[in-house]
Amino acid sequence: MYTYLMSEQSEHLQQQQNGTTIYTTIIASMKELKRNLPMRQWLVKRSQHSIPAEIGANTAPGAAQVPNAATNRILGQWLLGCSGLVVGAVVLGGVTRLTESGLSMVDWHLVREMKPPHSQAEWEAEFTKYQQFPEFKIMNHDMTLPEFKFIFYMEWGHRMWGRLVGLAYVLPTIYFWKKGYFNKSMKGRTLGLCGFVFFQGLLGWYMVKSGLQEKPESYDVPRVSQYRLSAHLGSALVLYCASLWTGLTLLVEPHKLANTKHLNQLRWFAKGTAGLVFLTALSGAFVAGLDAGLVYNSFPMMGDRWIPDDLLAFSPKFKNLFENPTTVQFDHRVLAISTLMAITGLYMFTRRMMLPRRAKMAISCLTAMAYTQVVLGISTLLLYVPTPLAATHQAGSVALLSLAIWVLAELRKVAK
């Protein structure tokens, strides 16, 4: 019996020692794992990075890369830069028109005209060509060669800026296409943008040609067709809006907003307001094309009347909308005030809505710019359209349109 009890006790002690040993081993292993945890994390990260690297190493040179967040950010920044160049072209074009420089270059050559005249003989030859057209014969018959050089350089600068815009779209498109940065949707968009740039250049020359034509039946100041001018500006604004919208959607993360009734109403309200901003800017092209800012330089009334007598002086009546300077200015006033009221209503509509901070900021900036733009427009009218103020007013219309696009980008729906 004694022997049996001793053996049982010995076995029990052995189990305790084994348990202690196992416990000690586990504790030591945990400590060792804790010490080596940074090394293990580094190894895991390295293995994660090495997999794509190995895949890229095994991929044939020149193979397309899958678009990702980094490439989308690059594309967004590129398109925002392109849209900034389009703004420069719009503003420079406005200054060119305000200084009456747009008809100084009577030829159009894609490459040859990139080099301006240098020698005295070249300048005189260019001036001689200009003298054959209506603007010189009717308006500038006493113009000197130095004066001609000024308007020539204004138009030349505008055309060269247009070529810069074209290169800024086309060359990166070719590069990004080869690198595989575009998905199927972006390929279609960028091809459309590049095609629109070429169309815009051809439309610009088509506009200039309308001011170079002899019009024996007209004794008016030679100017380009207001229809073609509006088409030229309108296409530039479409190009700008498309580039800006695409760039913002690539760079700005959409907000995950609940699709409530009020939010859907706000989205439709914002879209309608943006359309009104665009239409008001386009009506400004008719004002510029007809020099309608030089009639009825008073506000809020036009002369001593709210509705002038010659509002519908042309026949048939619909021609007044596009060819009567009084009607064109009246329509621009109505559209501008309507746009201001719409933007103010949009701001008031969102006052009690729970919106992200960035969306609230965009709507506030849009509202502030709307009132600034109205002040600029009234000042331009009352001061008889001084060139610096008129150019600022035109740039303000693009700024207002930009903020409207920003608002739409902040309120857009998340793709499911």
Side-chain angles (χ1 to χ4, degrees), residues 117-128 144-146 148-149:
H118 288 290
S119 66
Q120 184 70 13
E122 289 177 344
W123 275 113
E124 289 178 355
E126 198 69 39
F127 191 27
T128 300
T144 62
L145 183 58
F148 171 73
K149 288 182 179 180

Side-chain angles (χ1 to χ4, degrees), residues 305-370:
R305 293 177 178 271
W306 291 102
I307 300 177
D309 293 335
D310 56 341
L311 190 67
L312 299 175
F314 289 15
S315 182
K317 299 298 183 185
F318 72 87
K319 291 181 66 176
N320 289 280
L321 295 173
F322 308 108
E323 299 182 13
N324 185 343
T326 299
T327 311
V328 167
Q329 188 195 122
F330 180 82
D331 291 343
H332 188 62
R333 290 186 184 210
V334 171
L335 285 170
I337 295 172
S338 300
T339 301
L340 181 66
M341 293 175 63
I343 292 174
T344 303
L346 182 70
Y347 176 78
M348 298 302 294
F349 188 80
T350 58
R351 287 280 289 173
R352 297 185 179 181
M353 290 185 66
M354 296 297 294
L355 293 175
R357 179 175 175 272
R358 214 169 55 207
K360 288 271 191 180
M361 183 184 303
I363 294 171
S364 298
C365 291
L366 176 66
T367 307
M369 188 63 222

Side-chain angles (χ1 to χ4, degrees), residues 105-118 122 126 129 152 156 159-160 163:
M105 296 180 69
V106 297
D107 297 318
W108 190 86
H109 301 284
L110 183 60
V111 178
R112 194 167 63 189
E113 72 180 23
M114 294 178 67
K115 179 184 176 183
H118 288 290
E122 289 177 344
E126 198 69 39
K129 287 194 292 185
F152 182 92
W156 180 82
R159 294 191 186 189
M160 292 307 103
R163 284 162 174 76

Side-chain angles (χ1 to χ4, degrees), residues 292-309:
L294 298 176
V295 299
Y296 293 104
N297 297 90
S298 58
F299 190 86
M301 295 195 300
M302 299 181 72
D304 56 352
R305 293 177 178 271
W306 291 102
I307 300 177
D309 293 335

Side-chain angles (χ1 to χ4, degrees), residues 30-329:
M30 291 179 66
K31 290 181 179 180
E32 184 69 20
L33 180 63
K34 188 174 182 181
R35 284 197 302 269
N36 293 333
L37 186 58
M39 177 63 70
R40 291 176 63 83
Q41 291 176 343
W42 179 81
L43 289 172
V44 169
K45 289 182 179 179
R46 181 174 176 81
S47 64
Q48 290 175 347
H49 287 291
S50 64
I51 293 173
E54 291 174 3
I55 293 174
N58 295 329
T59 304
Q65 300 177 5
V66 177
N68 51 42
T71 59
N72 285 343
R73 185 166 58 252
I74 293 172
L75 295 179
Q77 293 170 349
W78 163 57
L79 289 173
L80 287 187
C82 288
S83 62
L85 290 175
V86 175
V87 172
V90 170
V91 174
L92 186 56
V95 175
T96 302
R97 188 202 60 79
L98 288 167
T99 56
E100 297 180 345
S101 306
L103 300 177
S104 57
M105 296 180 69
V106 297
D107 297 318
W108 190 86
H109 301 284
L110 183 60
V111 178
R112 194 167 63 189
E113 72 180 23
M114 294 178 67
K115 179 184 176 183
H118 288 290
S119 66
Q120 184 70 13
E122 289 177 344
W123 275 113
E124 289 178 355
E126 198 69 39
F127 191 27
T128 300
K129 287 194 292 185
Y130 173 69
Q131 292 172 352
Q132 309 305 313
F133 289 89
E135 187 175 69
F136 178 83
K137 295 177 181 179
I138 298 175
M139 288 180 55
N140 298 332
H141 51 84
D142 57 348
M143 175 176 279
T144 62
L145 183 58
E147 292 172 335
F148 171 73
K149 288 182 179 180
F150 171 78
I151 64 171
F152 182 92
Y153 272 125
M154 288 296 301
E155 174 64 9
W156 180 82
H158 180 53
R159 294 191 186 189
M160 292 307 103
W161 192 277
R163 284 162 174 76
L164 175 63
V165 172
L167 292 175
Y169 276 95
V170 174
L171 295 182
T173 295
I174 297 172
Y175 174 79
F176 293 142
W177 194 296
K178 289 184 176 180
K179 296 288 287 185
Y181 284 14
F182 295 144
N183 56 24
K184 186 177 180 180
S185 174
M186 278 300 297
K187 286 180 179 179
R189 292 185 187 185
T190 50
L191 284 177
L193 291 174
C194 291
F196 217 80
V197 170
F198 283 109
F199 171 74
Q200 174 71 0
L202 294 174
L203 192 57
W205 172 241
Y206 180 65
M207 175 193 69
V208 170
K209 282 184 67 177
S210 66
L212 300 175
Q213 297 170 357
E214 297 280 355
K215 299 175 183 177
E217 73 284 356
S218 175
Y219 297 96
D220 199 359
V221 173
R223 58 167 65 95
V224 299
S225 165
Q226 70 272 23
Y227 297 104
R228 299 185 190 186
L229 175 61
S230 300
H232 186 52
L233 176 62
S235 61
L237 293 179
V238 170
L239 176 65
Y240 172 69
C241 291
S243 303
L244 180 63
W245 169 262
T246 307
L248 287 177
T249 53
L250 289 171
L251 289 174
V252 178
E253 283 292 326
H255 301 290
K256 296 180 180 179
L257 304 173
N259 287 322
T260 62
K261 179 181 177 181
H262 284 85
L263 182 59
N264 289 328
Q265 290 175 343
L266 175 62
R267 284 177 175 142
W268 281 108
F269 195 177
K271 290 177 182 177
T273 302
L276 197 55
V277 172
F278 184 90
L279 187 60
T280 305
L282 196 59
S283 73
F286 282 93
V287 174
L290 293 171
D291 287 331
L294 298 176
V295 299
Y296 293 104
N297 297 90
S298 58
F299 190 86
M301 295 195 300
M302 299 181 72
D304 56 352
R305 293 177 178 271
W306 291 102
I307 300 177
D309 293 335
D310 56 341
L311 190 67
L312 299 175
F314 289 15
S315 182
K317 299 298 183 185
F318 72 87
K319 291 181 66 176
N320 289 280
L321 295 173
F322 308 108
E323 299 182 13
N324 185 343
T326 299
T327 311
V328 167
Q329 188 195 122

